[in-house]
């Protein structure tokens, strides 16, 4: 059975613009001495795109198969996941309930109302709030309370889970992305991507290794330090093996995390992040985001000596709407 056959067993709500382009970044690459490329998953098409489109195709395929009428999802206030879920639910004729968690301390009105929050409202989602930002199990439990209310009102709710005790269904989208990348025929010395919930990281790594491809994948930590994230990726990959019924093709040595760009914490700007955003915009006309991809580029550029002359793939996972939520903070730091 091929990897593709394994994926075909899962329902999928196809709507992403796939495959996404794979492009060179000649100007930035030349200025830092790296043969740098970008995988444009910011261009997945639905609701301003990003990596969550690939993940949600599998969650919402499952929702559709179950006859769901309402999608429930939780995330940070500026979550791209919840915004994308609202867009994809709208396309499927489902309602969407979004629970926003207070995960980033000390943020202003712009953060709370612009960017993804504005889009959530535009997309017609019902917004709820959750006071804690570091309580995944509690946030999921609160979603189940909302689901129960909806069920009483005659709806059929479907929860897109966040916590790591649920099957990593969204990772199937990135297993598929591994097939897509290898079909695009470029070989890379190393791939860099953001490691947040770890769904993207574990799906891509699992997919590549299952296909016999040994390209190193470095996850840049954006949410937790490298020790904690290594455990999470390890566990989620095992969960993915169980979900697909496949043997786990990933060895502990394959799991590489780098938390050098993580400080001062999730969703917090740093000088290397702002320089990476600025440099990428001004050399390539390419817009990164302030929570994930900017930190990945900062982490990659910090290793430019080790990467000199190598062919490196930067995986763009989207997230640009959050730029507008950071407008004041960011504007003050631009040079
Ligand atoms: C969610 C997100 C990530 C992290 O992906 P995970 O699958 O949660 O690890 C990276 N980049 C962007 C823009 C995101 O929205």
């Amino acid at each position: 059975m091929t990897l593709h056959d394994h994926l075909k067993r899962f329902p999928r709500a196809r709507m992403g613009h796939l495959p996404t382009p794979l492009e060179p970044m000649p100007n930035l690459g030349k200025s830092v001495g790296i043969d740098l490329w970008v995988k444009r998953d910011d261009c997945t098409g639905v609701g301003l795109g990003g990596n969550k489109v690939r993940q949600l195709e599998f969650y919402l395929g499952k929702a559709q198969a179950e006859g769901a009428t309402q999608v429930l999802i939780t995330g940070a206030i500026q979550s791209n996941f919840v915004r994308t879920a609202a867009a994809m639910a709208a396309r499927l004729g489902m309602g969407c309930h979004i629970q926003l968690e207070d995960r980033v301390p000390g943020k202003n009105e712009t953060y709370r109302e612009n960017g993804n929050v504005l889009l959530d409202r535009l997309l017609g989602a019902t917004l709820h709030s959750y006071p804690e930002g570091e309580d995944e199990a509690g946030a999921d439990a609160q979603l189940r309370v909302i689901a129960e209310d909806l069920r009483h009102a005659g709806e059929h709710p479907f929860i897109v889970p966040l916590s790591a005790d649920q099957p990593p269904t969204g990772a199937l989208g990135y297993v598929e992305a591994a097939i897509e990348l290898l079909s695009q025929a470029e070989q890379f010395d190393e791939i860099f991507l953001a490691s947040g919930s770890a769904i993207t990281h574990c799906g891509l790594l699992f997919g590549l290794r299952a296909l016999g491809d040994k390209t190193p994948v470095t996850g840049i930590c954006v949410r937790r330090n490298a020790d904690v994230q290594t455990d999470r990726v390890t566990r989620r990959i095992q969960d993915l093996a169980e979900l697909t019924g496949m043997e786990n093709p990933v060895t502990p040595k394959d799991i590489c995390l780098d938390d050098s760009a993580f400080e001062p914490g999730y969703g917090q700007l740093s000088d290397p992040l702002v320089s990476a955003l600025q440099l990428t915009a001004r050399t390539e006309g390419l817009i990164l985001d302030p929570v994930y991809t900017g930190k990945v580029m900062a982490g990659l550029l910090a290793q430019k000596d080790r990467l000199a002359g190598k062919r490196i793939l930067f995986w763009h996972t989207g997230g640009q709407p959050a730029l507008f939520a950071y407008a004041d903070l960011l504007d003050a730091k631009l040079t």
Side-chain angles (χ1 to χ4, degrees):
M1 197 150 133
T2 66
L3 189 54
H4 189 71
D5 292 331
H6 278 285
L7 293 176
K8 270 202 321 221
R9 295 182 298 127
F10 295 90
R12 183 170 168 193
R14 284 177 193 268
M15 60 181 97
H17 296 186
L18 304 177
T20 56
L22 179 66
E23 297 172 339
M25 299 178 80
N27 303 332
L28 178 55
K30 199 163 170 215
S31 75
V32 294
I34 301 172
D35 181 12
L36 190 60
W37 292 64
V38 56
K39 178 68 171 157
R40 297 292 306 273
D41 272 11
D42 56 320
C43 300
T44 51
V46 193
L48 297 185
N51 63 336
K52 301 313 184 313
V53 171
R54 291 188 195 268
Q55 302 182 13
L56 284 161
E57 282 195 345
F58 284 91
Y59 287 116
L60 296 190
K62 194 169 172 212
Q64 237 183 344
E66 292 176 10
T69 58
Q70 298 283 338
V71 175
L72 283 72
I73 186 165
T74 189
I77 289 176
Q78 283 298 328
S79 164
N80 301 301
F81 202 10
V82 306
R83 175 255 306 164
T84 314
M88 292 175 72
R91 278 276 288 272
L92 295 170
M94 298 174 189
C96 187
H97 284 256
I98 288 175
Q99 175 174 271
L100 296 180
E101 303 161 23
D102 234 322
R103 201 181 285 173
V104 186
K107 288 289 180 274
N108 59 19
E109 288 295 296
T110 312
Y111 180 84
R112 292 173 180 282
E113 289 173 9
N114 204 332
N116 282 303
V117 181
L118 177 66
L119 298 176
D120 296 342
R121 288 192 205 283
L122 178 65
L123 290 160
T126 305
L127 302 187
H128 306 260
S129 59
Y130 193 74
E132 275 290 320
E134 293 302 335
D135 177 14
E136 288 187 330
D140 275 356
Q142 184 56 33
L143 275 191
R144 289 195 287 276
V145 173
I146 301 170
E148 206 42 50
D149 290 346
L150 288 168
R151 209 170 278 123
H152 282 304
E155 299 281 354
H156 187 139
F158 178 90
I159 296 179
V160 179
L162 178 67
S163 62
D165 60 0
Q166 300 292 317
T169 304
L172 299 169
Y174 272 88
V175 174
E176 145 99 7
I179 301 175
E180 179 181 306
L181 178 68
L182 296 189
S183 77
Q184 288 178 314
E186 296 289 342
Q187 282 285 324
F188 294 97
D189 292 315
E190 192 165 333
I191 298 171
F192 281 76
L193 48 63
S195 198
S197 74
I199 288 285
T200 304
H201 187 176
C202 80
L204 185 70
L205 182 57
F206 188 99
L208 290 173
R209 294 300 181 271
L211 292 162
D213 183 278
K214 298 280 181 223
T215 310
V217 175
T218 296
I220 299 291
C221 294
V222 291
R223 181 77 202 279
R224 302 169 187 84
N225 68 34
D227 284 347
V228 179
Q229 190 68 5
T230 300
D231 285 348
R232 189 176 175 108
V233 174
T234 305
R235 253 186 307 125
R236 295 312 262 158
I237 284 180
Q238 192 53 48
D239 294 341
L240 183 55
E242 277 161 35
L243 178 67
T244 55
M246 295 170 61
E247 209 169 301
N248 182 358
V250 179
T251 66
K253 246 181 38 230
D254 291 325
I255 300 175
C256 306
L257 273 310
D258 170 10
D259 60 9
S260 59
F262 176 51
E263 292 303 326
Y266 178 78
Q268 303 281 2
L269 303 184
S270 65
D271 290 340
L273 158 75
V274 176
S275 334
L277 288 177
Q278 214 169 260
L279 186 64
T280 309
R282 293 176 187 184
T283 54
E284 296 290 341
L286 183 69
I287 310 299
L288 305 182
D289 87 284
V291 179
Y292 299 96
T293 54
K295 284 200 175 159
V296 177
M297 187 57 87
L300 189 162
L301 294 175
Q303 298 187 42
K304 68 177 194 297
D305 294 341
R306 178 175 75 79
L307 303 176
K310 296 201 166 144
R311 173 169 283 199
I312 301 300
L313 180 60
F314 166 81
W315 204 292
H316 197 328
T317 45
Q320 297 100 327
L323 280 171
F324 304 102
Y326 285 79
D328 343 2
L329 295 169
L330 202 53
D331 193 47
K333 284 178 173 281
L334 293 181
T335 59

